[in-house]
Amino acid sequence: MRILVLGHKGMLGSDIMARLADDHELIGKDREDFDISQAESCRSVMEEVDPEVVINCAAYTDVDGAEEHRDLCFAVNARGVENLCRSCEGRNVKIVHISTDYVFDGKKGALYTEDDVPHPLNIYGASKRAGEEILTRWSGAFLLIRTAWMYGKNGKNFVTTVLNKALNERYLRVVDDQLGSPTYTWDLAGAIKLLLEKGVEGVFHITNRGVCSWFDFARKILELARIDGVKIEPIKSSELDRKAIRPSFSGLSSQKFTQVTGKTLRFWQTALDDFLFHDLNLSR
Ligand SMILES: NC(=O)c1ccc[n+]([C@@H]2O[C@H](COP(=O)([O-])OP(=O)(O)OC[C@H]3O[C@@H](n4cnc5c(N)ncnc54)[C@H](OP(=O)(O)O)[C@@H]3O)[C@@H](O)[C@H]2O)c1
Protein backbone atom coordinates (compact mmCIF):
# COMPACT_ATOMS: atom_id res chain seq x y z
CA MET A 1 0.00 0.00 0.00
CA ARG A 2 1.07 3.58 -0.59
CA ILE A 3 0.76 5.11 2.88
CA LEU A 4 1.07 8.74 3.95
CA VAL A 5 2.05 9.14 7.61
CA LEU A 6 1.22 12.57 9.04
CA GLY A 7 3.34 13.47 12.08
CA HIS A 8 5.93 10.86 11.05
CA LYS A 9 8.65 12.36 13.26
CA GLY A 10 6.59 12.04 16.45
CA MET A 11 6.75 9.17 18.92
CA LEU A 12 4.15 6.92 17.30
CA GLY A 13 4.65 8.20 13.76
CA SER A 14 8.34 7.27 13.75
CA ASP A 15 7.65 3.71 14.89
CA ILE A 16 4.91 3.38 12.28
CA MET A 17 7.44 4.43 9.65
CA ALA A 18 9.96 1.87 10.96
CA ARG A 19 7.51 -1.00 11.41
CA LEU A 20 5.63 -0.74 8.10
CA ALA A 21 8.58 0.16 5.84
CA ASP A 22 9.48 -3.38 4.73
CA ASP A 23 6.06 -4.19 3.33
CA HIS A 24 4.63 -0.86 2.22
CA GLU A 25 5.54 2.34 0.44
CA LEU A 26 5.69 5.04 3.10
CA ILE A 27 5.76 8.80 2.72
CA GLY A 28 6.13 10.88 5.87
CA LYS A 29 5.08 14.50 6.39
CA ASP A 30 5.44 16.55 9.52
CA ARG A 31 5.04 20.07 10.75
CA GLU A 32 7.85 21.46 8.60
CA ASP A 33 6.09 20.15 5.46
CA PHE A 34 2.49 21.12 6.18
CA ASP A 35 0.07 22.37 8.82
CA ILE A 36 -2.89 20.10 9.49
CA SER A 37 -4.87 23.00 10.93
CA GLN A 38 -4.79 24.71 7.50
CA ALA A 39 -7.25 23.31 4.94
CA GLU A 40 -5.20 24.31 1.91
CA SER A 41 -2.02 22.86 3.34
CA CYS A 42 -3.75 19.52 3.94
CA ARG A 43 -5.27 19.47 0.49
CA SER A 44 -1.98 20.10 -1.24
CA VAL A 45 -0.19 17.31 0.70
CA MET A 46 -2.92 14.87 -0.26
CA GLU A 47 -2.76 15.95 -3.88
CA GLU A 48 1.04 15.66 -3.96
CA VAL A 49 1.22 12.21 -2.34
CA ASP A 50 -2.06 10.66 -3.57
CA PRO A 51 -1.97 7.81 -1.01
CA GLU A 52 -4.20 4.76 -0.59
CA VAL A 53 -4.00 5.15 3.18
CA VAL A 54 -3.28 8.14 5.39
CA ILE A 55 -2.29 7.52 9.01
CA ASN A 56 -2.77 10.63 11.11
CA CYS A 57 -0.35 10.86 14.03
CA ALA A 58 -0.14 14.66 13.84
CA ALA A 59 -1.66 16.11 16.96
CA TYR A 60 -1.44 18.66 19.75
CA THR A 61 -0.41 16.32 22.60
CA ASP A 62 0.46 18.58 25.54
CA VAL A 63 -2.37 17.64 27.93
CA ASP A 64 -1.67 20.40 30.47
CA GLY A 65 -0.69 22.97 27.83
CA ALA A 66 -4.08 22.47 26.19
CA GLU A 67 -5.83 24.02 29.20
CA GLU A 68 -4.15 27.32 28.32
CA HIS A 69 -4.00 26.90 24.55
CA ARG A 70 -7.50 25.66 23.82
CA ASP A 71 -7.79 27.26 20.39
CA LEU A 72 -4.52 25.83 19.11
CA CYS A 73 -5.37 22.42 20.54
CA PHE A 74 -8.79 22.36 18.82
CA ALA A 75 -7.31 23.77 15.60
CA VAL A 76 -4.95 20.78 15.36
CA ASN A 77 -6.98 17.95 16.95
CA ALA A 78 -10.46 18.81 15.70
CA ARG A 79 -10.23 21.18 12.71
CA GLY A 80 -7.16 19.25 11.58
CA VAL A 81 -9.28 16.08 11.29
CA GLU A 82 -11.94 18.00 9.39
CA ASN A 83 -9.32 19.33 6.97
CA LEU A 84 -7.98 15.83 6.55
CA CYS A 85 -11.44 14.37 5.80
CA ARG A 86 -12.21 17.16 3.32
CA SER A 87 -8.89 16.68 1.55
CA CYS A 88 -9.70 12.95 1.18
CA GLU A 89 -13.16 13.53 -0.32
CA GLY A 90 -13.48 12.11 -3.82
CA ARG A 91 -10.32 10.03 -3.36
CA ASN A 92 -10.15 6.30 -2.73
CA VAL A 93 -8.25 6.66 0.54
CA LYS A 94 -8.64 5.14 3.99
CA ILE A 95 -8.01 7.38 7.01
CA VAL A 96 -6.38 5.88 10.09
CA HIS A 97 -6.67 8.28 12.99
CA ILE A 98 -5.25 7.97 16.51
CA SER A 99 -7.26 8.96 19.57
CA THR A 100 -6.96 8.56 23.30
CA ASP A 101 -8.27 7.01 26.52
CA TYR A 102 -8.68 10.61 27.72
CA VAL A 103 -11.99 10.82 25.82
CA PHE A 104 -13.40 8.88 28.82
CA ASP A 105 -14.06 10.24 32.31
CA GLY A 106 -12.75 7.19 34.19
CA LYS A 107 -15.95 6.69 36.17
CA LYS A 108 -16.87 3.31 34.68
CA GLY A 109 -14.53 1.40 37.00
CA ALA A 110 -13.92 -1.29 34.37
CA LEU A 111 -12.15 -1.51 31.01
CA TYR A 112 -13.73 0.78 28.40
CA THR A 113 -15.01 -0.84 25.22
CA GLU A 114 -15.59 0.81 21.84
CA ASP A 115 -19.34 1.04 22.70
CA ASP A 116 -18.87 3.12 25.84
CA VAL A 117 -19.95 6.74 25.66
CA PRO A 118 -17.06 9.23 25.81
CA HIS A 119 -17.12 12.06 28.31
CA PRO A 120 -13.79 13.88 28.39
CA LEU A 121 -12.62 15.67 31.53
CA ASN A 122 -10.05 18.02 30.01
CA ILE A 123 -9.52 20.24 26.94
CA TYR A 124 -7.13 17.81 25.23
CA GLY A 125 -9.68 14.97 25.65
CA ALA A 126 -12.49 17.22 24.39
CA SER A 127 -10.47 18.20 21.30
CA LYS A 128 -9.66 14.55 20.55
CA ARG A 129 -13.33 13.63 20.99
CA ALA A 130 -14.31 16.43 18.60
CA GLY A 131 -11.86 14.96 16.07
CA GLU A 132 -13.41 11.51 16.53
CA GLU A 133 -16.90 12.88 15.91
CA ILE A 134 -15.79 14.54 12.70
CA LEU A 135 -14.10 11.37 11.48
CA THR A 136 -17.03 9.07 12.28
CA ARG A 137 -19.36 11.37 10.30
CA TRP A 138 -17.06 11.14 7.29
CA SER A 139 -18.46 9.05 4.46
CA GLY A 140 -15.19 7.31 3.54
CA ALA A 141 -13.35 4.33 5.02
CA PHE A 142 -11.64 4.85 8.36
CA LEU A 143 -9.96 3.19 11.30
CA LEU A 144 -10.23 5.09 14.57
CA ILE A 145 -7.73 3.78 17.09
CA ARG A 146 -7.85 4.73 20.74
CA THR A 147 -4.73 4.07 22.74
CA ALA A 148 -3.16 5.19 26.03
CA TRP A 149 -0.05 6.02 28.07
CA MET A 150 2.35 5.68 25.16
CA TYR A 151 6.12 5.47 25.29
CA GLY A 152 8.60 4.87 22.50
CA LYS A 153 12.07 5.60 21.23
CA ASN A 154 11.43 9.02 19.69
CA GLY A 155 9.61 11.20 22.13
CA LYS A 156 9.37 12.62 25.58
CA ASN A 157 7.58 10.02 27.67
CA PHE A 158 7.05 8.73 31.19
CA VAL A 159 9.67 5.97 30.98
CA THR A 160 12.55 8.24 30.00
CA THR A 161 11.39 10.92 32.46
CA VAL A 162 11.41 8.38 35.32
CA LEU A 163 14.84 7.07 34.34
CA ASN A 164 16.33 10.57 34.14
CA LYS A 165 14.81 11.69 37.44
CA ALA A 166 15.85 8.49 39.19
CA LEU A 167 19.44 8.82 38.03
CA ASN A 168 19.77 12.56 38.60
CA GLU A 169 17.61 13.23 41.66
CA ARG A 170 17.27 9.77 43.32
CA TYR A 171 13.77 10.78 44.46
CA LEU A 172 10.40 10.37 42.75
CA ARG A 173 6.85 11.27 43.71
CA VAL A 174 4.35 9.47 41.49
CA VAL A 175 0.54 9.38 41.53
CA ASP A 176 -1.08 6.10 42.52
CA ASP A 177 -4.72 7.11 41.98
CA GLN A 178 -4.75 7.12 38.14
CA LEU A 179 -4.88 3.73 36.43
CA GLY A 180 -4.35 2.92 32.76
CA SER A 181 -2.47 0.74 30.30
CA PRO A 182 1.12 1.64 29.32
CA THR A 183 1.57 1.09 25.59
CA TYR A 184 4.76 0.63 23.61
CA THR A 185 4.54 2.49 20.29
CA TRP A 186 6.37 -0.36 18.51
CA ASP A 187 3.62 -2.80 19.54
CA LEU A 188 0.87 -0.36 18.61
CA ALA A 189 2.47 0.20 15.19
CA GLY A 190 2.42 -3.58 14.64
CA ALA A 191 -1.26 -3.76 15.60
CA ILE A 192 -2.15 -0.93 13.20
CA LYS A 193 -0.23 -2.72 10.42
CA LEU A 194 -2.24 -5.87 11.06
CA LEU A 195 -5.60 -4.08 10.94
CA LEU A 196 -4.61 -2.30 7.73
CA GLU A 197 -3.50 -5.51 6.04
CA LYS A 198 -6.76 -7.20 7.06
CA GLY A 199 -8.72 -4.37 5.47
CA VAL A 200 -10.69 -3.75 8.66
CA GLU A 201 -12.65 -0.56 9.35
CA GLY A 202 -14.21 1.03 12.45
CA VAL A 203 -13.27 1.94 16.01
CA PHE A 204 -10.66 -0.09 17.92
CA HIS A 205 -9.11 0.15 21.37
CA ILE A 206 -5.47 -0.99 21.36
CA THR A 207 -3.07 -0.96 24.31
CA ASN A 208 -0.60 -3.39 25.82
CA ARG A 209 -2.32 -5.84 28.19
CA GLY A 210 -2.92 -5.12 31.84
CA VAL A 211 -3.66 -2.07 33.93
CA CYS A 212 -1.52 -0.30 36.53
CA SER A 213 -1.11 3.04 38.27
CA TRP A 214 1.60 5.53 37.29
CA PHE A 215 3.25 4.58 40.60
CA ASP A 216 3.26 0.84 39.71
CA PHE A 217 4.58 1.78 36.27
CA ALA A 218 7.44 3.84 37.75
CA ARG A 219 8.34 1.08 40.22
CA LYS A 220 8.48 -1.47 37.40
CA ILE A 221 10.75 0.79 35.34
CA LEU A 222 13.21 1.06 38.24
CA GLU A 223 13.01 -2.66 38.99
CA LEU A 224 13.63 -3.75 35.40
CA ALA A 225 16.38 -1.17 34.88
CA ARG A 226 17.92 -2.30 38.21
CA ILE A 227 18.24 1.21 39.56
CA ASP A 228 18.65 0.93 43.33
CA GLY A 229 18.74 3.54 46.06
CA VAL A 230 15.92 5.68 44.66
CA LYS A 231 13.20 6.84 47.04
CA ILE A 232 9.82 6.55 45.38
CA GLU A 233 6.78 7.97 47.07
CA PRO A 234 3.13 7.35 46.05
CA ILE A 235 1.05 10.53 46.03
CA LYS A 236 -2.49 11.57 45.09
CA SER A 237 -3.33 13.51 41.92
CA SER A 238 -4.56 16.37 44.11
CA GLU A 239 -0.99 16.79 45.42
CA LEU A 240 0.31 17.50 41.91
CA ASP A 241 -0.28 20.99 40.65
CA ARG A 242 -1.37 19.98 37.16
CA LYS A 243 -3.66 22.08 35.02
CA ALA A 244 -5.63 19.25 33.38
CA ILE A 245 -7.79 16.77 35.27
CA ARG A 246 -7.12 13.16 34.26
CA PRO A 247 -9.45 10.15 34.48
CA SER A 248 -8.82 7.93 37.50
CA PHE A 249 -9.34 4.71 35.54
CA SER A 250 -8.91 4.72 31.78
CA GLY A 251 -8.02 1.12 30.98
CA LEU A 252 -9.18 0.15 27.47
CA SER A 253 -10.43 -3.29 26.46
CA SER A 254 -8.62 -4.57 23.35
CA GLN A 255 -11.04 -7.50 23.04
CA LYS A 256 -12.50 -6.35 19.71
CA PHE A 257 -8.98 -6.16 18.25
CA THR A 258 -8.34 -9.73 19.45
CA GLN A 259 -11.64 -10.99 18.01
CA VAL A 260 -10.93 -9.47 14.61
CA THR A 261 -7.23 -10.35 14.32
CA GLY A 262 -6.83 -13.40 16.56
CA LYS A 263 -3.89 -11.57 18.19
CA THR A 264 -3.32 -10.11 21.63
CA LEU A 265 -0.75 -7.49 22.52
CA ARG A 266 1.91 -8.38 25.10
CA PHE A 267 1.54 -7.59 28.78
CA TRP A 268 2.78 -4.07 29.49
CA GLN A 269 5.61 -5.39 31.70
CA THR A 270 7.01 -7.55 28.86
CA ALA A 271 6.79 -4.70 26.37
CA LEU A 272 8.49 -2.35 28.83
CA ASP A 273 11.36 -4.81 29.29
CA ASP A 274 11.82 -4.94 25.52
CA PHE A 275 11.81 -1.15 25.26
CA LEU A 276 14.41 -0.73 28.00
CA PHE A 277 16.84 -3.34 26.73
CA HIS A 278 16.37 -2.95 22.97
CA ASP A 279 15.33 0.61 22.20
CA LEU A 280 17.16 2.27 25.10
CA ASN A 281 20.02 -0.24 25.00
CA LEU A 282 20.25 -0.68 28.78
CA SER A 283 22.50 -3.59 29.68
CA ARG A 284 21.18 -6.46 31.79
N1 LIG B 1 1.49 10.13 23.89
C1 LIG B 1 0.52 9.44 24.45
O1 LIG B 1 0.64 8.93 25.58
C2 LIG B 1 -0.79 9.24 23.70
C3 LIG B 1 -1.80 8.50 24.33
C4 LIG B 1 -2.99 8.28 23.62
C5 LIG B 1 -3.15 8.79 22.35
N2 LIG B 1 -2.17 9.53 21.79
C6 LIG B 1 -2.37 10.04 20.42
O2 LIG B 1 -1.45 9.38 19.57
C7 LIG B 1 -1.10 10.25 18.48
C8 LIG B 1 0.42 10.34 18.37
O3 LIG B 1 0.92 10.82 19.60
P1 LIG B 1 2.49 11.04 19.86
O4 LIG B 1 2.68 11.01 21.34
O5 LIG B 1 3.26 10.16 18.96
O6 LIG B 1 2.60 12.55 19.40
P2 LIG B 1 3.91 13.46 19.19
O7 LIG B 1 5.15 12.70 19.52
O8 LIG B 1 3.63 14.74 19.91
O9 LIG B 1 3.90 13.69 17.62
C9 LIG B 1 2.94 14.51 17.01
C10 LIG B 1 3.54 15.03 15.73
O10 LIG B 1 2.58 15.90 15.12
C11 LIG B 1 3.28 17.08 14.70
N3 LIG B 1 2.35 18.21 14.66
C12 LIG B 1 1.89 18.97 15.69
N4 LIG B 1 1.11 19.95 15.23
C13 LIG B 1 1.07 19.84 13.89
C14 LIG B 1 0.45 20.58 12.84
N5 LIG B 1 -0.30 21.65 13.11
N6 LIG B 1 0.61 20.17 11.56
C15 LIG B 1 1.39 19.10 11.29
N7 LIG B 1 2.01 18.36 12.22
C16 LIG B 1 1.87 18.72 13.51
C17 LIG B 1 4.33 17.27 15.77
O11 LIG B 1 5.32 18.16 15.35
P3 LIG B 1 6.11 19.03 16.48
O12 LIG B 1 6.90 18.02 17.27
O13 LIG B 1 6.94 19.96 15.68
O14 LIG B 1 5.07 19.69 17.32
C18 LIG B 1 4.82 15.85 15.96
O15 LIG B 1 5.81 15.48 15.03
C19 LIG B 1 -1.79 11.58 18.77
O16 LIG B 1 -2.99 11.63 18.05
C20 LIG B 1 -2.11 11.51 20.26
O17 LIG B 1 -3.23 12.28 20.58
C21 LIG B 1 -0.98 9.77 22.43
Side-chain angles (χ1 to χ4, degrees):
M1 286 177 259
R2 183 171 164 81
I3 302 175
L4 168 62
V5 182
L6 302 177
H8 77 293
K9 292 189 174 167
M11 192 159 65
L12 177 61
S14 56
D15 267 355
I16 287 180
M17 293 296 283
R19 189 112 199 219
L20 275 65
D22 284 348
D23 299 315
H24 301 282
E25 184 191 353
L26 294 174
I27 302 100
K29 297 281 178 190
D30 214 300
R31 208 213 286 261
E32 67 265 28
D33 309 303
F34 86 116
D35 181 349
I36 198 166
S37 68
Q38 303 296 320
E40 182 51 34
S41 179
C42 257
R43 205 187 53 75
S44 84
V45 164
M46 207 58 63
E47 207 159 273
E48 176 202 329
V49 178
D50 192 21
E52 296 164 80
V53 174
V54 52
I55 305 180
N56 181 29
C57 300
Y60 181 99
T61 54
D62 178 354
V63 178
D64 290 307
E67 299 295 311
E68 281 178 308
H69 301 285
R70 187 186 185 283
D71 289 354
L72 175 61
C73 178
F74 267 79
V76 177
N77 294 347
R79 201 187 321 132
V81 180
E82 188 169 347
N83 293 338
L84 179 59
C85 292
R86 289 228 174 116
S87 68
C88 289
E89 261 159 31
R91 297 177 175 273
N92 190 16
V93 54
K94 178 187 267 186
I95 298 178
V96 181
H97 178 66
I98 317 298
S99 193
T100 170
D101 55 333
Y102 283 5
V103 297
F104 295 114
D105 62 17
K107 298 196 174 124
K108 184 181 176 189
L111 297 180
Y112 282 95
T113 72
E114 292 79 357
D115 295 328
D116 285 317
V117 180
H119 179 237
L121 297 176
N122 55 43
I123 301 286
Y124 166 76
S127 73
K128 295 297 289 185
R129 178 60 192 152
E132 290 187 351
E133 286 176 323
I134 291 162
L135 180 67
T136 50
R137 280 199 303 269
W138 186 54
S139 56
F142 70 84
L143 263 175
L144 171 58
I145 304 209
R146 294 196 188 115
T147 189
W149 293 28
M150 284 190 337
Y151 60 90
K153 195 165 38 178
N154 295 303
K156 188 172 171 284
N157 61 70
F158 185 75
V159 182
T160 48
T161 302
V162 164
L163 289 173
N164 287 335
K165 273 206 144 206
L167 294 171
N168 296 324
E169 298 172 24
R170 317 298 299 178
Y171 175 55
L172 297 168
R173 297 168 80 233
V174 189
V175 295
D176 70 351
D177 58 355
Q178 288 171 34
L179 277 71
S181 301
T183 302
Y184 184 18
T185 46
W186 181 257
D187 289 6
L188 178 59
I192 292 171
K193 178 173 191 279
L194 194 60
L195 288 176
L196 268 179
E197 290 170 354
K198 282 194 169 286
V200 180
E201 295 176 20
V203 184
F204 285 86
H205 289 178
I206 308 176
T207 62
N208 279 117
R209 276 173 89 184
V211 170
C212 65
S213 69
W214 289 110
F215 177 73
D216 299 329
F217 189 14
R219 256 202 325 205
K220 194 57 156 180
I221 295 164
L222 299 184
E223 179 197 316
L224 291 173
R226 297 212 183 96
I227 302 178
D228 297 324
V230 175
K231 184 168 185 293
I232 173 163
E233 185 188 337
I235 58 165
K236 300 296 162 210
S237 305
S238 56
E239 294 175 65
L240 268 190
D241 195 20
R242 296 185 106 177
K243 293 198 169 65
I245 303 169
R246 273 110 169 132
S248 55
F249 183 100
S250 58
L252 302 177
S253 164
S254 301
Q255 212 178 341
K256 182 179 171 192
F257 171 79
T258 301
Q259 276 160 2
V260 167
T261 62
K263 304 275 184 203
T264 311
L265 263 65
R266 303 183 276 187
F267 278 100
W268 68 267
Q269 297 93 331
T270 317
L272 175 61
D273 184 272
D274 204 15
F275 174 65
L276 293 172
F277 295 101
H278 286 99
D279 271 358
L280 295 189
N281 277 323
L282 299 191
S283 48
R284 288 192 192 273

